[in-house]
Amino acid sequence: MNQKLEILARAANEARGLAIDAVHKASSGHLGLPLGCAEIGAVLFGQALRYNPSEPKWLNRDRFVLSAGHGSMFLYAWLHIAGFDLPIEEICNFRQFHSKTPGHPEFKETPGVEATTGPLGQGIANAVGYAVSAKMAAARFNTPEHTIFDHKVVVLAGDGCIQEGVAQEASAFAGHARLDNLILIYDSNDVTLDAMASATQDEDTAKRYEALNWEVQTVDGHDMVAFLAAYEKAKAAKGKPQLIIAKTLIGKGIPEVAGTAKAHGEGGAKFADAARASLGLPADKHFYVSGDTYAYFAEHRKKLQAEYDAWNATYQAWRAANPELARQLDAGLNLEVPPAAELFSRIPEFPADAKIATRKAGSDVLQPIAEALPLLVGGSADLYGSTLNYINSSKDWTPENYGGRNIRYGIREHAMAAIMNGIAYDGIFRASGATFMVFADYARPAIRLAALVGLPVIYIFTHDSVGVGEDGPTHQPVETVSGLRVIPNLDVIRPADPEETAGAFVAAVERTNGPTVLALTRQVVPNLNVAPASVRREGVLKGAYILVKETAPLETIIMASGSELQHAIAAAQQLGPGTRVVSFPSFERFERQSAEYQEEVLPKAVRRRVAIEAGVSGLWYRWVGLDGKVVGIDRFGLSAPGGKVMETLDMTVEAVVKAVRELR
């Protein structure tokens, strides 16, 4: 043990040296955490974690998430030393163009990086999502004869992560859910970026987490024996998530800044030469890792490989004994989705005379889709009774039933979205979740990250307009739909009737390279039978389509989405046979269509265009042009019955007709 400690202590100092050299060379980066947590890294990657560098996506690996993503050189140093496909040249190219070592860890860019972290607190919530996924996977796929999922989820966070609200929402959820497969390591160095932590916090973090139903230990983060003992205890614990508060010295190894806020960023890099000397690193060899350290980790990999091989034997036996479960697991891992035509065939057409809110239509559509996709899971931020996205064939996901498909997140929209990202990162289950559209603003940071990474998360946001009515302007999301549309790689779909809602849900599950928002109504809308159900369903997949075709030379195009499409149809009937109605449920999907299709739907020569939508008007000018008009709502709403609000704010047939007639 003493020899191992000596080697790991040397490895810790060499990891510090890699961080110092990388940040010094880049003239950019954060040294505080990589230096302060080096011993923690040595214990985790040198002994405690279960992983396999040759199979970085091993299903039963321990997931390690660096929530404090600014400390990315901590992770890169240990991934390199541990033997992942991250050669020393990539460490030398820290923060450079097209390197595998970007400023903050990025999922898919670097082997061994489990989540894109940077915005503080997100990684904690992502780790909770990973732990949720692990519990679901164990419940769904383990059998009495074969255990293929029993791994831990480990997350390293700092004061900034702990302070963020999303982390506290997620931690409360984790405690209530009894996620005993989750270990949070809190790098408690009493420093934030600007100042000592005492400038902004007084709370007792241990007591707070105990109150959230976590088990808590506090150790010296530089004492590898003590830290390993705490980790092993946390690993063996049952019934509660685990918090290890590791007291560390930020910037350890650079005495000029250690223990101060100056150590957080690159402030210590100018003392690089003296620091390297004090750490026992050779003056003439930068980016140095000793042969002894490489040899130790090469030997450690043999042990890890043996663990993997033993698991793989169990896994192959499980696959042979459980072919249907294996097929389900493969489908989830490969993001397999039945063809749209097959999904549509499972969804009965709605009665021609149906008047139904699209949130209710969504509930009806969800059931056959959930049957077709058994690894689709749902959730709601305490609003199942309003969002109506409960999967009826399953039950609640609880500590007593981790196999349930309906997750009650509580009033925690931000954590819900970030936890869903964690589920999506794990890549086994398809995550969906719901709240009111106006509360998308609470979830937005996590939605942005899902779009950035390309996670196939589905957001079901109901009560999508001023049609909410009596709840008033606080609950009427006039700007929210457009605010979501400006996020790159996020599809926003606002269906107009029940058949378009069927198309919207199929489009959402069909998309596997990014997230989708479904914007659904609270108020009832008519079934728009001016075109067959198949035309409306399939039209949504293309983002926009001709719903009502002109019967004379084309003079006018009226565009609309959602509940206002009915007004566009009625207006066209008054305006004459040269009027076309284009249903426009998704800007983003239409933009991905060919130029030929776009010209077919919206011929450039026809500039007499009007759009109507119960929201801010600005983005619509992309489609109506400067010669056209938008009937929108460029103000906040008001409290009154929904129909009265719509009428008062000109969401009417008459407003559309007037706008068209005012055009030359």
Side-chain angles (χ1 to χ4, degrees):
M1 184 63 181
N2 289 337
Q3 184 179 7
K4 179 182 289 188
L5 284 175
E6 182 180 332
I7 293 174
L8 290 178
R10 180 187 303 137
N13 280 339
E14 290 168 357
R16 287 187 172 101
L18 293 180
I20 291 170
D21 289 342
V23 172
H24 185 264
K25 182 181 178 185
S27 298
S28 173
H30 300 78
L31 282 172
L33 183 144
L35 272 61
C37 291
E39 284 82 11
I40 293 173
V43 171
L44 290 176
F45 287 90
Q47 183 161 352
L49 288 178
R50 175 198 295 166
Y51 62 93
N52 184 356
S54 64
E55 294 287 347
K57 289 297 184 182
W58 172 21
L59 283 178
N60 204 35
R61 71 194 182 279
D62 290 337
R63 277 65 163 167
F64 176 80
V65 176
L66 178 64
S67 184
H70 57 273
S72 57
M73 266 308 306
F74 168 91
L75 184 54
Y76 300 149
W78 288 111
L79 291 176
H80 167 72
I81 292 171
F84 284 81
D85 183 18
L86 195 65
I88 197 67
E89 292 77 14
E90 294 292 347
I91 305 297
C92 296
N93 286 329
F94 177 56
R95 290 191 162 216
Q96 303 309 302
F97 187 50
H98 284 329
S99 76
K100 291 183 180 180
T101 49
H104 292 80
E106 294 185 28
F107 186 69
K108 298 180 183 176
E109 296 298 319
T110 312
V113 169
E114 303 282 12
T116 294
T117 55
L120 296 178
Q122 292 290 328
I124 291 178
N126 295 161
V128 172
Y130 264 113
V132 169
S133 178
K135 288 292 189 182
M136 288 192 293
R140 180 69 63 93
F141 297 112
N142 287 352
T143 65
E145 297 77 22
H146 303 102
T147 297
I148 60 170
F149 290 105
D150 66 351
H151 56 275
K152 298 296 181 181
V153 180
V154 183
V155 54
L156 176 60
D159 287 283
C161 295
I162 297 293
Q163 283 192 8
E164 287 286 357
V166 64
Q168 294 313 302
E169 290 182 22
S171 296
F173 173 89
H176 181 73
R178 312 294 195 267
L179 294 178
D180 54 14
N181 58 342
L182 176 64
I183 301 173
L184 168 57
I185 303 166
Y186 168 26
D187 172 28
S188 178
N189 54 37
D190 300 323
V191 173
T192 59
L193 188 154
D194 257 357
M196 301 305 291
S198 58
T200 55
Q201 65 186 39
D202 288 310
E203 66 267 26
D204 185 323
T205 301
K207 289 181 179 178
R208 181 204 291 179
Y209 270 79
E210 287 170 351
L212 294 176
N213 198 39
W214 288 59
E215 189 168 276
V216 180
Q217 303 175 71
T218 300
V219 299
D220 179 348
H222 303 299
D223 183 333
M224 289 188 288
V225 173
F227 177 78
L228 178 60
Y231 183 88
E232 293 297 332
K233 181 180 178 182
K235 185 177 177 180
K238 301 295 182 184
K240 293 183 179 183
Q242 301 293 303
L243 172 64
I244 300 174
I245 300 176
K247 302 299 295 184
T248 64
L249 179 68
I250 190 171
K252 181 177 170 61
I254 307 180
E256 291 85 352
V257 298
T260 73
K262 291 180 180 179
H264 175 87
E266 74 267 18
K270 61 186 177 182
F271 306 107
D273 290 341
R276 296 180 80 260
S278 70
L279 292 170
L281 303 174
D284 59 341
K285 294 181 181 178
H286 289 79
F287 296 98
Y288 172 79
V289 179
S290 66
D292 286 346
T293 295
Y294 282 137
Y296 172 83
F297 277 87
E299 193 64 28
H300 185 56
R301 286 196 298 276
K302 294 179 182 178
K303 173 178 174 290
L304 296 171
Q305 183 67 41
E307 290 179 356
Y308 170 81
D309 291 342
W311 172 87
N312 194 43
T314 300
Y315 179 57
Q316 296 306 325
W318 171 84
R319 292 184 67 87
N322 303 279
E324 176 55 26
L325 285 178
R327 189 201 65 77
Q328 277 192 28
L329 179 57
D330 290 346
L333 293 170
N334 296 322
L335 286 172
E336 293 176 10
V337 179
E342 179 182 331
L343 291 174
F344 283 138
S345 71
R346 291 171 172 264
I347 305 169
E349 291 188 10
F350 289 84
D353 60 352
K355 289 189 176 182
I356 182 174
T358 56
R359 62 169 175 158
K360 177 59 174 70
S363 177
D364 296 341
V365 169
L366 174 62
Q367 308 313 319
I369 286 181
E371 182 180 349
L373 294 171
L375 299 187
L376 174 70
V377 297
S380 191
D382 199 49
L383 288 171
Y384 270 126
S386 296
T387 54
L388 306 181
N389 63 310
Y390 199 89
I391 298 174
N392 294 332
S393 61
S394 188
K395 295 181 179 180
D396 284 5
W397 180 87
T398 67
E400 296 73 38
N401 180 32
Y402 284 132
R405 298 170 68 183
N406 298 287
I407 303 174
R408 296 185 182 272
Y409 286 102
I411 306 89
R412 303 182 182 107
E413 296 88 355
H414 195 175
M416 175 179 75
I419 291 168
M420 287 160 58
N421 285 355
I423 295 171
Y425 280 129
D426 208 24
I428 299 170
F429 299 91
R430 283 294 296 274
S432 66
T435 186
F436 292 167
M437 173 60 75
V438 75
F439 300 136
D441 287 339
Y442 282 142
R444 187 183 182 93
I447 296 172
R448 179 181 183 273
L449 284 170
L452 188 156
V453 176
L455 299 176
V457 175
I458 300 168
Y459 310 98
I460 301 169
F461 292 156
T462 68
H463 298 55
D464 71 340
S465 75
V466 297
V468 169
E470 293 90 342
D471 280 337
T474 62
H475 282 54
Q476 294 171 4
V478 293
E479 81 292 358
T480 311
V481 173
S482 282
L484 292 168
R485 285 173 176 150
V486 301
I487 298 177
N489 198 39
L490 175 66
D491 279 7
V492 178
I493 307 177
R494 189 167 182 253
D497 76 349
E499 300 300 350
E500 282 201 355
T501 302
F505 272 76
V506 169
V509 298
E510 177 190 65
R511 186 176 189 224
T512 58
N513 62 349
T516 300
V517 167
L518 302 178
L520 308 179
T521 68
R522 175 201 186 197
Q523 73 274 22
V524 300
V525 292
N527 206 354
L528 303 175
N529 296 299
V530 291
S534 60
V535 170
R536 286 171 280 159
R537 291 180 174 193
E538 293 166 12
V540 173
L541 302 183
K542 294 183 176 181
Y545 65 99
I546 300 170
L547 177 66
V548 177
K549 188 170 177 59
E550 67 282 359
T551 56
L554 179 59
E555 298 175 344
T556 304
I557 299 174
I558 305 175
M559 293 169 263
S561 81
S563 54
E564 294 74 64
L565 185 59
Q566 60 185 306
H567 303 322
I569 296 169
Q573 292 169 349
Q574 295 186 31
L575 290 166
T579 303
R580 171 183 293 186
V581 177
V582 171
S583 176
F584 220 130
S586 177
F587 291 6
E588 301 79 21
R589 294 187 76 92
F590 185 64
E591 287 174 343
R592 292 199 294 271
Q593 303 307 309
S594 68
E596 291 76 15
Y597 180 76
Q598 291 181 9
E599 174 66 17
E600 177 187 336
V601 176
L602 297 176
K604 292 183 178 68
V606 181
R607 299 174 65 172
R608 196 168 186 244
R609 302 179 180 188
V610 167
I612 178 172
E613 184 176 63
V616 294
S617 60
L619 295 185
W620 278 98
Y621 286 97
R622 162 78 171 78
W623 307 108
V624 303
L626 296 179
D627 297 334
K629 286 195 170 186
V630 179
V631 180
I633 302 175
D634 292 307
R635 52 155 288 181
F636 289 111
L638 53 97
S639 182
K644 183 65 176 177
V645 176
M646 287 285 199
E647 179 184 354
T648 302
L649 299 179
D650 287 333
M651 291 296 104
T652 63
V653 177
E654 294 74 22
V656 177
V657 172
K658 180 175 181 288
V660 171
R661 288 176 174 163
E662 287 175 350
L663 297 175
R664 288 188 290 173

mmCIF file of all heavy atoms in Angstrom, residues 606-639:
data_model
loop_
_atom_site.group_PDB
_atom_site.id
_atom_site.type_symbol
_atom_site.label_atom_id
_atom_site.label_comp_id
_atom_site.label_asym_id
_atom_site.label_seq_id
_atom_site.Cartn_x
_atom_site.Cartn_y
_atom_site.Cartn_z
ATOM 1 N N VAL A 606 -44.427 35.345 -55.209
ATOM 2 C CA VAL A 606 -45.646 35.781 -54.524
ATOM 3 C C VAL A 606 -45.257 36.478 -53.232
ATOM 4 O O VAL A 606 -44.878 35.840 -52.245
ATOM 5 C CB VAL A 606 -46.583 34.589 -54.244
ATOM 6 C CG1 VAL A 606 -47.864 35.070 -53.559
ATOM 7 C CG2 VAL A 606 -46.915 33.863 -55.538
ATOM 8 N N ARG A 607 -45.340 37.806 -53.234
ATOM 9 C CA ARG A 607 -44.860 38.592 -52.090
ATOM 10 C C ARG A 607 -46.011 39.146 -51.250
ATOM 11 O O ARG A 607 -45.778 39.850 -50.275
ATOM 12 C CB ARG A 607 -43.981 39.732 -52.603
ATOM 13 C CG ARG A 607 -42.766 39.192 -53.345
ATOM 14 C CD ARG A 607 -41.934 40.245 -54.009
ATOM 15 N NE ARG A 607 -41.316 41.153 -53.068
ATOM 16 C CZ ARG A 607 -40.416 42.077 -53.406
ATOM 17 N NH1 ARG A 607 -40.033 42.187 -54.661
ATOM 18 N NH2 ARG A 607 -39.903 42.883 -52.489
ATOM 19 N N ARG A 608 -47.215 38.822 -51.641
ATOM 20 C CA ARG A 608 -48.384 39.261 -50.858
ATOM 21 C C ARG A 608 -48.635 38.189 -49.795
ATOM 22 O O ARG A 608 -49.338 37.210 -50.023
ATOM 23 C CB ARG A 608 -49.580 39.423 -51.791
ATOM 24 C CG ARG A 608 -50.736 40.231 -51.214
ATOM 25 C CD ARG A 608 -51.718 40.577 -52.310
ATOM 26 N NE ARG A 608 -52.767 41.462 -51.840
ATOM 27 C CZ ARG A 608 -54.055 41.138 -51.788
ATOM 28 N NH1 ARG A 608 -54.446 39.933 -52.185
ATOM 29 N NH2 ARG A 608 -54.945 42.014 -51.367
ATOM 30 N N ARG A 609 -48.042 38.404 -48.643
ATOM 31 C CA ARG A 609 -48.046 37.373 -47.609
ATOM 32 C C ARG A 609 -48.432 37.962 -46.259
ATOM 33 O O ARG A 609 -48.007 39.066 -45.906
ATOM 34 C CB ARG A 609 -46.654 36.735 -47.483
ATOM 35 C CG ARG A 609 -46.106 36.112 -48.754
ATOM 36 C CD ARG A 609 -44.733 35.530 -48.514
ATOM 37 N NE ARG A 609 -44.152 34.925 -49.706
ATOM 38 C CZ ARG A 609 -43.039 34.223 -49.725
ATOM 39 N NH1 ARG A 609 -42.364 34.034 -48.589
ATOM 40 N NH2 ARG A 609 -42.576 33.715 -50.854
ATOM 41 N N VAL A 610 -49.181 37.161 -45.509
ATOM 42 C CA VAL A 610 -49.558 37.528 -44.139
ATOM 43 C C VAL A 610 -49.393 36.291 -43.265
ATOM 44 O O VAL A 610 -49.709 35.171 -43.690
ATOM 45 C CB VAL A 610 -51.009 38.049 -44.065
ATOM 46 C CG1 VAL A 610 -51.486 38.132 -42.615
ATOM 47 C CG2 VAL A 610 -51.126 39.414 -44.730
ATOM 48 N N ALA A 611 -48.883 36.493 -42.061
ATOM 49 C CA ALA A 611 -48.784 35.408 -41.079
ATOM 50 C C ALA A 611 -49.556 35.803 -39.831
ATOM 51 O O ALA A 611 -49.646 36.993 -39.490
ATOM 52 C CB ALA A 611 -47.328 35.128 -40.728
ATOM 53 N N ILE A 612 -50.097 34.824 -39.155
ATOM 54 C CA ILE A 612 -50.760 35.062 -37.867
ATOM 55 C C ILE A 612 -50.272 34.037 -36.862
ATOM 56 O O ILE A 612 -50.208 32.840 -37.150
ATOM 57 C CB ILE A 612 -52.305 35.021 -37.985
ATOM 58 C CG1 ILE A 612 -52.938 35.232 -36.582
ATOM 59 C CG2 ILE A 612 -52.792 33.751 -38.655
ATOM 60 C CD1 ILE A 612 -54.452 35.394 -36.596
ATOM 61 N N GLU A 613 -49.888 34.526 -35.685
ATOM 62 C CA GLU A 613 -49.516 33.663 -34.564
ATOM 63 C C GLU A 613 -49.690 34.452 -33.282
ATOM 64 O O GLU A 613 -49.347 35.643 -33.230
ATOM 65 C CB GLU A 613 -48.080 33.163 -34.682
ATOM 66 C CG GLU A 613 -47.710 32.178 -33.568
ATOM 67 C CD GLU A 613 -46.319 31.606 -33.725
ATOM 68 O OE1 GLU A 613 -45.343 32.375 -33.677
ATOM 69 O OE2 GLU A 613 -46.211 30.376 -33.898
ATOM 70 N N ALA A 614 -50.177 33.782 -32.252
ATOM 71 C CA ALA A 614 -50.420 34.445 -30.965
ATOM 72 C C ALA A 614 -49.122 34.564 -30.182
ATOM 73 O O ALA A 614 -48.934 33.957 -29.127
ATOM 74 C CB ALA A 614 -51.465 33.675 -30.166
ATOM 75 N N GLY A 615 -48.218 35.374 -30.710
ATOM 76 C CA GLY A 615 -46.935 35.598 -30.069
ATOM 77 C C GLY A 615 -46.218 36.729 -30.767
ATOM 78 O O GLY A 615 -46.735 37.330 -31.721
ATOM 79 N N VAL A 616 -45.020 37.035 -30.315
ATOM 80 C CA VAL A 616 -44.277 38.158 -30.894
ATOM 81 C C VAL A 616 -44.045 37.905 -32.379
ATOM 82 O O VAL A 616 -43.886 36.771 -32.827
ATOM 83 C CB VAL A 616 -42.950 38.390 -30.154
ATOM 84 C CG1 VAL A 616 -43.205 38.855 -28.729
ATOM 85 C CG2 VAL A 616 -42.074 37.141 -30.152
ATOM 86 N N SER A 617 -44.008 38.986 -33.141
ATOM 87 C CA SER A 617 -44.073 38.875 -34.592
ATOM 88 C C SER A 617 -42.726 38.765 -35.288
ATOM 89 O O SER A 617 -42.658 38.335 -36.443
ATOM 90 C CB SER A 617 -44.813 40.093 -35.151
ATOM 91 O OG SER A 617 -44.133 41.294 -34.801
ATOM 92 N N GLY A 618 -41.631 39.144 -34.623
ATOM 93 C CA GLY A 618 -40.371 39.383 -35.309
ATOM 94 C C GLY A 618 -39.871 38.276 -36.209
ATOM 95 O O GLY A 618 -39.483 38.530 -37.359
ATOM 96 N N LEU A 619 -39.852 37.021 -35.737
ATOM 97 C CA LEU A 619 -39.255 35.950 -36.520
ATOM 98 C C LEU A 619 -40.041 35.620 -37.778
ATOM 99 O O LEU A 619 -39.484 35.068 -38.738
ATOM 100 C CB LEU A 619 -39.102 34.690 -35.662
ATOM 101 C CG LEU A 619 -38.141 34.782 -34.472
ATOM 102 C CD1 LEU A 619 -38.005 33.416 -33.799
ATOM 103 C CD2 LEU A 619 -36.762 35.274 -34.900
ATOM 104 N N TRP A 620 -41.302 35.967 -37.801
ATOM 105 C CA TRP A 620 -42.122 35.639 -38.967
ATOM 106 C C TRP A 620 -41.717 36.418 -40.217
ATOM 107 O O TRP A 620 -42.023 36.005 -41.338
ATOM 108 C CB TRP A 620 -43.597 35.882 -38.656
ATOM 109 C CG TRP A 620 -44.241 34.738 -37.922
ATOM 110 C CD1 TRP A 620 -44.442 34.634 -36.589
ATOM 111 C CD2 TRP A 620 -44.740 33.527 -38.491
ATOM 112 N NE1 TRP A 620 -45.048 33.440 -36.276
ATOM 113 C CE2 TRP A 620 -45.248 32.742 -37.436
ATOM 114 C CE3 TRP A 620 -44.814 33.030 -39.785
ATOM 115 C CZ2 TRP A 620 -45.813 31.489 -37.639
ATOM 116 C CZ3 TRP A 620 -45.383 31.780 -40.002
ATOM 117 C CH2 TRP A 620 -45.874 31.019 -38.927
ATOM 118 N N TYR A 621 -41.037 37.546 -40.033
ATOM 119 C CA TYR A 621 -40.654 38.328 -41.209
ATOM 120 C C TYR A 621 -39.639 37.585 -42.068
ATOM 121 O O TYR A 621 -39.449 37.926 -43.243
ATOM 122 C CB TYR A 621 -40.150 39.710 -40.791
ATOM 123 C CG TYR A 621 -41.291 40.607 -40.366
ATOM 124 C CD1 TYR A 621 -41.619 40.758 -39.027
ATOM 125 C CD2 TYR A 621 -42.079 41.238 -41.314
ATOM 126 C CE1 TYR A 621 -42.691 41.549 -38.632
ATOM 127 C CE2 TYR A 621 -43.160 42.031 -40.939
ATOM 128 C CZ TYR A 621 -43.458 42.184 -39.592
ATOM 129 O OH TYR A 621 -44.531 42.963 -39.217
ATOM 130 N N ARG A 622 -39.006 36.576 -41.523
ATOM 131 C CA ARG A 622 -38.132 35.708 -42.324
ATOM 132 C C ARG A 622 -38.930 35.064 -43.448
ATOM 133 O O ARG A 622 -38.386 34.766 -44.524
ATOM 134 C CB ARG A 622 -37.525 34.644 -41.394
ATOM 135 C CG ARG A 622 -36.945 33.422 -42.075
ATOM 136 C CD ARG A 622 -35.580 33.695 -42.666
ATOM 137 N NE ARG A 622 -34.934 32.486 -43.123
ATOM 138 C CZ ARG A 622 -35.203 31.839 -44.268
ATOM 139 N NH1 ARG A 622 -36.115 32.308 -45.085
ATOM 140 N NH2 ARG A 622 -34.539 30.742 -44.607
ATOM 141 N N TRP A 623 -40.238 34.868 -43.224
ATOM 142 C CA TRP A 623 -41.064 34.150 -44.191
ATOM 143 C C TRP A 623 -42.042 35.053 -44.924
ATOM 144 O O TRP A 623 -42.386 34.768 -46.075
ATOM 145 C CB TRP A 623 -41.813 33.014 -43.484
ATOM 146 C CG TRP A 623 -40.873 32.132 -42.725
ATOM 147 C CD1 TRP A 623 -40.709 32.035 -41.379
ATOM 148 C CD2 TRP A 623 -39.895 31.257 -43.300
ATOM 149 N NE1 TRP A 623 -39.713 31.161 -41.055
ATOM 150 C CE2 TRP A 623 -39.184 30.655 -42.218
ATOM 151 C CE3 TRP A 623 -39.545 30.909 -44.606
ATOM 152 C CZ2 TRP A 623 -38.167 29.734 -42.414
ATOM 153 C CZ3 TRP A 623 -38.522 29.994 -44.794
ATOM 154 C CH2 TRP A 623 -37.854 29.416 -43.721
ATOM 155 N N VAL A 624 -42.515 36.105 -44.307
ATOM 156 C CA VAL A 624 -43.451 36.992 -45.013
ATOM 157 C C VAL A 624 -42.710 38.053 -45.824
ATOM 158 O O VAL A 624 -43.270 38.620 -46.761
ATOM 159 C CB VAL A 624 -44.445 37.676 -44.051
ATOM 160 C CG1 VAL A 624 -45.220 36.652 -43.258
ATOM 161 C CG2 VAL A 624 -43.753 38.667 -43.132
ATOM 162 N N GLY A 625 -41.445 38.337 -45.473
ATOM 163 C CA GLY A 625 -40.695 39.361 -46.193
ATOM 164 C C GLY A 625 -41.108 40.760 -45.776
ATOM 165 O O GLY A 625 -42.090 40.974 -45.053
ATOM 166 N N LEU A 626 -40.366 41.732 -46.268
ATOM 167 C CA LEU A 626 -40.629 43.125 -45.880
ATOM 168 C C LEU A 626 -41.906 43.662 -46.498
ATOM 169 O O LEU A 626 -42.449 44.668 -46.035
ATOM 170 C CB LEU A 626 -39.438 43.999 -46.280
ATOM 171 C CG LEU A 626 -38.118 43.666 -45.574
ATOM 172 C CD1 LEU A 626 -37.003 44.586 -46.068
ATOM 173 C CD2 LEU A 626 -38.265 43.789 -44.061
ATOM 174 N N ASP A 627 -42.387 42.995 -47.542
ATOM 175 C CA ASP A 627 -43.642 43.448 -48.162
ATOM 176 C C ASP A 627 -44.869 42.905 -47.449
ATOM 177 O O ASP A 627 -45.992 43.357 -47.707
ATOM 178 C CB ASP A 627 -43.693 43.000 -49.632
ATOM 179 C CG ASP A 627 -42.589 43.616 -50.463
ATOM 180 O OD1 ASP A 627 -42.109 44.696 -50.088
ATOM 181 O OD2 ASP A 627 -42.211 43.010 -51.479
ATOM 182 N N GLY A 628 -44.661 41.907 -46.582
ATOM 183 C CA GLY A 628 -45.797 41.270 -45.953
ATOM 184 C C GLY A 628 -46.134 41.852 -44.595
ATOM 185 O O GLY A 628 -45.543 42.837 -44.135
ATOM 186 N N LYS A 629 -47.088 41.208 -43.937
ATOM 187 C CA LYS A 629 -47.524 41.650 -42.613
ATOM 188 C C LYS A 629 -47.636 40.452 -41.685
ATOM 189 O O LYS A 629 -47.912 39.318 -42.125
ATOM 190 C CB LYS A 629 -48.881 42.357 -42.691
ATOM 191 C CG LYS A 629 -48.838 43.754 -43.288
ATOM 192 C CD LYS A 629 -50.121 44.507 -42.981
ATOM 193 C CE LYS A 629 -49.969 45.976 -43.363
ATOM 194 N NZ LYS A 629 -51.148 46.767 -42.957
ATOM 195 N N VAL A 630 -47.446 40.733 -40.403
ATOM 196 C CA VAL A 630 -47.601 39.706 -39.379
ATOM 197 C C VAL A 630 -48.650 40.176 -38.385
ATOM 198 O O VAL A 630 -48.539 41.277 -37.824
ATOM 199 C CB VAL A 630 -46.277 39.423 -38.646
ATOM 200 C CG1 VAL A 630 -46.488 38.361 -37.569
ATOM 201 C CG2 VAL A 630 -45.197 38.987 -39.623
ATOM 202 N N VAL A 631 -49.648 39.352 -38.194
ATOM 203 C CA VAL A 631 -50.634 39.598 -37.150
ATOM 204 C C VAL A 631 -50.145 38.846 -35.922
ATOM 205 O O VAL A 631 -50.275 37.620 -35.818
ATOM 206 C CB VAL A 631 -52.034 39.113 -37.573
ATOM 207 C CG1 VAL A 631 -53.046 39.388 -36.455
ATOM 208 C CG2 VAL A 631 -52.463 39.777 -38.866
ATOM 209 N N GLY A 632 -49.509 39.576 -35.018
ATOM 210 C CA GLY A 632 -48.922 38.960 -33.841
ATOM 211 C C GLY A 632 -49.295 39.691 -32.577
ATOM 212 O O GLY A 632 -50.182 40.567 -32.576
ATOM 213 N N ILE A 633 -48.605 39.361 -31.496
ATOM 214 C CA ILE A 633 -48.867 39.986 -30.196
ATOM 215 C C ILE A 633 -47.531 40.493 -29.653
ATOM 216 O O ILE A 633 -46.765 39.740 -29.052
ATOM 217 C CB ILE A 633 -49.515 38.996 -29.204
ATOM 218 C CG1 ILE A 633 -50.828 38.454 -29.770
ATOM 219 C CG2 ILE A 633 -49.764 39.676 -27.856
ATOM 220 C CD1 ILE A 633 -51.477 37.379 -28.903
ATOM 221 N N ASP A 634 -47.257 41.755 -29.896
ATOM 222 C CA ASP A 634 -45.995 42.348 -29.454
ATOM 223 C C ASP A 634 -46.187 43.131 -28.161
ATOM 224 O O ASP A 634 -45.759 44.282 -28.037
ATOM 225 C CB ASP A 634 -45.423 43.230 -30.569
ATOM 226 C CG ASP A 634 -44.969 42.406 -31.759
ATOM 227 O OD1 ASP A 634 -44.192 41.468 -31.549
ATOM 228 O OD2 ASP A 634 -45.414 42.680 -32.888
ATOM 229 N N ARG A 635 -46.821 42.498 -27.233
ATOM 230 C CA ARG A 635 -47.052 43.052 -25.902
ATOM 231 C C ARG A 635 -47.356 41.883 -24.980
ATOM 232 O O ARG A 635 -47.534 40.745 -25.435
ATOM 233 C CB ARG A 635 -48.236 44.024 -25.909
ATOM 234 C CG ARG A 635 -49.517 43.446 -26.518
ATOM 235 C CD ARG A 635 -50.772 44.098 -26.011
ATOM 236 N NE ARG A 635 -51.073 43.734 -24.630
ATOM 237 C CZ ARG A 635 -52.149 44.159 -23.960
ATOM 238 N NH1 ARG A 635 -53.008 44.983 -24.536
ATOM 239 N NH2 ARG A 635 -52.357 43.776 -22.708
ATOM 240 N N PHE A 636 -47.394 42.133 -23.683
ATOM 241 C CA PHE A 636 -47.798 41.078 -22.761
ATOM 242 C C PHE A 636 -49.313 40.942 -22.774
ATOM 243 O O PHE A 636 -50.035 41.823 -23.245
ATOM 244 C CB PHE A 636 -47.277 41.373 -21.360
ATOM 245 C CG PHE A 636 -45.781 41.207 -21.237
ATOM 246 C CD1 PHE A 636 -44.963 42.306 -21.035
ATOM 247 C CD2 PHE A 636 -45.199 39.950 -21.346
ATOM 248 C CE1 PHE A 636 -43.590 42.165 -20.930
ATOM 249 C CE2 PHE A 636 -43.819 39.793 -21.243
ATOM 250 C CZ PHE A 636 -43.011 40.899 -21.040
ATOM 251 N N GLY A 637 -49.782 39.820 -22.255
ATOM 252 C CA GLY A 637 -51.197 39.506 -22.318
ATOM 253 C C GLY A 637 -52.002 40.190 -21.238
ATOM 254 O O GLY A 637 -51.602 41.203 -20.662
ATOM 255 N N LEU A 638 -53.165 39.610 -20.938
ATOM 256 C CA LEU A 638 -54.058 40.180 -19.938
ATOM 257 C C LEU A 638 -54.912 39.068 -19.355
ATOM 258 O O LEU A 638 -55.010 37.981 -19.924
ATOM 259 C CB LEU A 638 -54.922 41.277 -20.556
ATOM 260 C CG LEU A 638 -55.701 40.920 -21.818
ATOM 261 C CD1 LEU A 638 -57.134 40.546 -21.475
ATOM 262 C CD2 LEU A 638 -55.686 42.077 -22.808
ATOM 263 N N SER A 639 -55.516 39.349 -18.232
ATOM 264 C CA SER A 639 -56.292 38.341 -17.530
ATOM 265 C C SER A 639 -57.766 38.461 -17.895
ATOM 266 O O SER A 639 -58.412 39.464 -17.596
ATOM 267 C CB SER A 639 -56.116 38.502 -16.012
ATOM 268 O OG SER A 639 -56.827 37.483 -15.332
#
